[in-house]
Amino acid sequence: MTIWFHRGLRAAMTLATLVTVMAATGQAVAQTRCPVDNGGLVLSPGFCATVFADNLGHVRHLAAAADGTLYANTWSGGYYSTAAPAAGFLIALKDVDGDGHADVVQRFGATPRSGGTGGTGIALHDGALYAEENGRILRYALTPGVSMPSAAPTVVVSGLPLTGDHPMHPFVIDAKGNLFVDVASATNSCQVENRMVASRGVDPCIEKQTRGGIWRYDAAKSGQVFSPAERYASGIRNAEGLSFDAAGRFFATQHGRDQLYQDWPRFYTAEQSADLPAEELMEITKGADYGWPECYYDQHQKKLVLAPEYGGDGGKTVGLCAQRQGPIAAFPGHWAPNALAIYLGDKFPASYRGGAFIAFHGSWNRAPLPQGGYNVVFQPLVDGKAAGPFIVFADGFDGGHKEPDRAAFRPSGLAVASDGALFVSDDVHGRIWRITYTGNGSDRPTLASGASSTATASRPALPPEGIHPDAGRKTPALPTPPGATADQVALGDRIYHGQASNGACSGCHGFDGRGTPLGPPLNAKQWAWSDGSLAGLRDIIAKGVARPKRYQGAMPPMGGSPLSQQDLAAVSAYVWAISHAKDTH
């Protein structure tokens, strides 16, 4: 257990003692003033933010207790390349003096030394804290007035699948004690060969028996084991965000499938694939099927259409999708909705109450269009239905770099506190913001000043004579591999970064070639599928990688891009060059 005390508070004082002293003296919680920079965020009018806590590890989901304690689950494992904290993956935080910052931070639960990896899901119910850890849902009993659990947890559910593309398990608990767990898909679209060009879908998709849906368990019962029998709803590729409204309606977000163009270039353009399919907000009902993998939602046609793996033709045919359940609201493709919070507080203006806040983790699959997301949006809801378009409520998380490996922060969790504040977490540096309303109550949902409402705008037009591709770039010179030319390396650079031939390499391997959870680093000279020679790199890029050894993303032949033999030679030369450079860019 790790405890941080703020402003010289004696280490011997427990959190409960501090709260008791404050209550006895009648100290009022101070009204937080807006800092000059709002913790780096751009917010809708009337709101301000403070950095509640920072550098906590990969903070995923949050849960806010009635006594003001905020709980966070952090994650490690193979999804992240940085080292996990030595202490517990679960965190209890509290702002004792009311200045908008956590004074006490306590870590507990599984540690890397105990074999723990942390997780995403976390919730509070009936005097206990529930948390996901390494394929299990654990229950920690809590003592009133004490934030830290003192006893070992009990196992509520075990055996949750950890393989494939989506090993996380967000969950939520309703007022009756039903525990709903997202068991996301192991694949992108249930293909015979995951993420491979023109690979047909498994029909029927056997994966749907144990993946791609919501499972229901009893939060009060210990020793439950995952099985197909507890499936509550199906056809949901990845429901990261889960929440209830005041009427008890159950909502979830859906991550739409990837790589329509890369896998099916005869049906889609790169530009279509960058924006399709939509990310979704769905109302979840027992027994419903929301379409995956046979269908995807086209936000422009406002309907589910048949996926190419199952006989689709680029969005024209509906087929069986007419019998599937569509969303109540849709958002630009590939923004990655990682958290959902229906606002049930009373401190935000009336037009926000009952609406949905959604944290978008940010895209990787929108090349050649700009990447998007990396924000928190607000979707108005009335009686469980969308009541107008969404607005970008909080922006600026990316720090000017909307790329998964370059963004300063990526929103990953949301929680509404008992005092009406909205907490937002980040899983890059482990920052948590506290957002409060300071206006007069008249503000309506309005686009955050300086925010981008959409990520689908076309790139700036080029002059008729064109622009030299290296003009203005301050990058170190790259070596030229034997048998190649400097011009090939330069062309490969442009393809790699999506500036030519609709290249999509940086989406999986990172802008600087340093790797992402989807693809390995290319600048470390550690090769899993070749000897790192120019010929070896060319061969593996041409063939693709259908079954990755360590990383989540399969690589289709030619990286899923329409590469000519000339392009292939150029990309191979560039990958060789960055792997041999002393200072890659």
Side-chain angles (χ1 to χ4, degrees):
M1 179 183 73
T2 299
I3 307 176
W4 298 346
F5 287 86
H6 182 59
R7 295 181 182 175
L9 293 173
R10 291 183 303 153
M13 294 183 69
T14 66
L15 181 58
T17 302
L18 290 171
V19 175
T20 301
V21 169
M22 288 181 63
T25 58
Q27 180 177 343
V29 176
Q31 173 65 45
T32 303
R33 292 184 178 181
C34 282
V36 174
D37 66 347
N38 282 315
L41 302 184
V42 178
L43 301 169
S44 291
F47 293 87
C48 69
T50 58
V51 176
F52 186 71
D54 210 350
N55 299 313
L56 299 173
H58 304 298
V59 181
R60 297 289 285 183
H61 282 185
L62 305 170
D67 69 354
T69 303
L70 181 70
Y71 294 95
N73 200 352
T74 65
W75 193 20
S76 181
Y79 191 82
Y80 297 99
S81 58
T82 54
F89 285 102
L90 296 172
I91 312 175
L93 309 98
K94 196 156 190 177
D95 173 12
V96 180
D97 60 8
D99 66 351
H101 307 282
D103 307 300
V104 180
V105 179
Q106 304 168 293
R107 304 192 79 109
F108 61 99
T111 68
R113 176 173 290 185
S114 70
T117 59
T120 290
I122 191 167
L124 289 155
H125 175 72
D126 195 23
L129 176 72
Y130 292 72
E132 173 202 2
E133 159 57 39
N134 205 21
R136 303 176 300 168
I137 306 297
L138 306 178
R139 179 175 60 236
Y140 290 85
L142 295 174
T143 301
V146 180
S147 298
M148 285 281 290
S150 57
T154 58
V155 178
V156 178
V157 182
S158 63
L160 295 168
L162 292 170
T163 58
D165 290 359
H166 304 115
M168 62 290 287
H169 300 100
F171 64 90
V172 68
I173 305 172
D174 70 10
K176 297 179 180 179
N178 293 301
L179 190 156
F180 296 96
V181 186
D182 168 45
V183 184
S185 70
T187 64
N188 177 38
S189 53
C190 203
Q191 291 172 286
V192 174
E193 290 189 283
N194 188 31
R195 301 180 186 268
M196 289 292 108
V197 175
S199 178
R200 305 298 298 184
V202 178
D203 193 7
C205 180
I206 305 302
E207 183 182 335
K208 287 178 71 173
Q209 295 178 8
T210 56
R211 305 293 290 264
I214 304 291
W215 265 247
R216 182 175 64 179
Y217 294 93
D218 184 346
K221 185 178 178 180
S222 301
Q224 298 168 96
V225 179
F226 173 79
S227 76
E230 294 83 31
R231 188 176 65 178
Y232 183 80
S234 65
I236 306 171
R237 180 174 175 271
N238 185 16
E240 290 272 330
L242 307 166
S243 190
F244 299 100
D245 70 2
R249 285 179 285 249
F250 180 17
F251 297 93
T253 59
Q254 166 148 246
H255 285 229
R257 54 85 52 82
D258 303 322
Q259 297 170 302
L260 284 170
Y261 167 70
Q262 287 84 356
D263 290 352
W264 300 93
R266 65 191 175 109
F267 292 135
Y268 302 90
T269 67
E271 287 75 16
Q272 287 176 309
S273 182
D275 195 42
L276 292 172
E279 310 289 41
E280 302 174 49
L281 176 62
M282 309 170 294
E283 182 180 354
I284 304 300
T285 57
K286 183 179 180 180
D289 188 317
Y290 294 84
W292 182 90
E294 299 91 348
C295 315
Y296 67 85
Y297 190 77
D298 184 323
Q299 67 269 40
H300 306 296
Q301 299 187 67
K302 295 182 172 57
K303 63 183 180 181
L304 288 165
V305 298
L306 201 61
E309 290 82 1
Y310 292 89
D313 51 6
K316 303 179 186 67
T317 300
V318 173
L320 61 80
C321 303
Q323 283 74 54
R324 300 293 192 262
Q325 183 68 44
I328 64 168
F331 308 90
H334 313 297
W335 277 23
N338 264 28
L340 169 67
I342 306 298
Y343 189 78
L344 302 181
D346 60 2
K347 295 299 187 291
F348 287 9
S351 52
Y352 283 92
R353 298 172 195 172
F357 287 98
I358 302 173
F360 284 99
H361 198 228
S363 68
W364 65 271
N365 189 220
R366 291 183 63 88
L369 295 182
Q371 299 299 335
Y374 305 91
N375 55 26
V376 174
V377 311
F378 176 74
Q379 172 63 59
L381 298 176
V382 173
D383 295 329
K385 305 297 181 185
F390 75 89
I391 58 104
V392 176
F393 171 79
D395 208 350
F397 296 93
D398 57 88
H401 299 288
K402 288 187 184 295
E403 297 284 342
D405 61 318
R406 302 179 74 204
F409 304 99
R410 302 184 72 181
S412 57
L414 296 168
V416 179
S418 58
D419 65 359
L422 178 69
F423 287 103
V424 183
S425 64
D426 146 72
D427 68 348
V428 177
H429 296 292
R431 178 173 290 187
I432 299 175
W433 293 263
R434 180 176 181 267
I435 299 176
T436 55
Y437 181 68
T438 59
N440 60 13
S442 64
D443 292 291
R444 300 185 62 80
T446 304
L447 180 70
S449 177
S452 173
S453 61
T454 177
T456 60
S458 61
R459 290 168 291 173
L462 298 178
E465 66 274 14
I467 295 177
H468 190 278
D470 295 323
R473 295 188 66 179
K474 296 181 180 180
T475 57
L478 292 174
T480 301
T485 67
D487 286 342
Q488 283 181 309
V489 173
L491 174 59
D493 184 342
R494 299 196 296 277
I495 295 171
Y496 180 94
H497 291 99
Q499 298 166 355
S501 300
N502 290 324
C505 312
S506 63
C508 288
H509 295 286
F511 184 85
D512 296 319
R514 294 181 178 140
T516 74
L518 293 166
L522 301 177
N523 57 2
K525 294 186 181 180
Q526 296 176 353
W527 308 107
W529 297 94
S530 79
D531 59 3
S533 67
L534 184 61
L537 292 170
R538 179 168 179 159
D539 180 63
I540 201 63
I541 294 170
K543 293 190 303 184
V545 177
R547 297 174 180 84
K549 294 178 179 178
R550 293 178 55 198
Y551 288 80
Q552 293 175 296
M555 183 178 80
M558 298 293 192
S561 300
L563 302 184
S564 66
Q565 290 301 307
Q566 178 183 5
D567 294 335
L568 173 61
V571 171
S572 304
Y574 176 72
V575 172
W576 185 97
I578 63 174
S579 72
H580 287 77
K582 293 182 179 180
D583 181 18
T584 59
H585 62 289

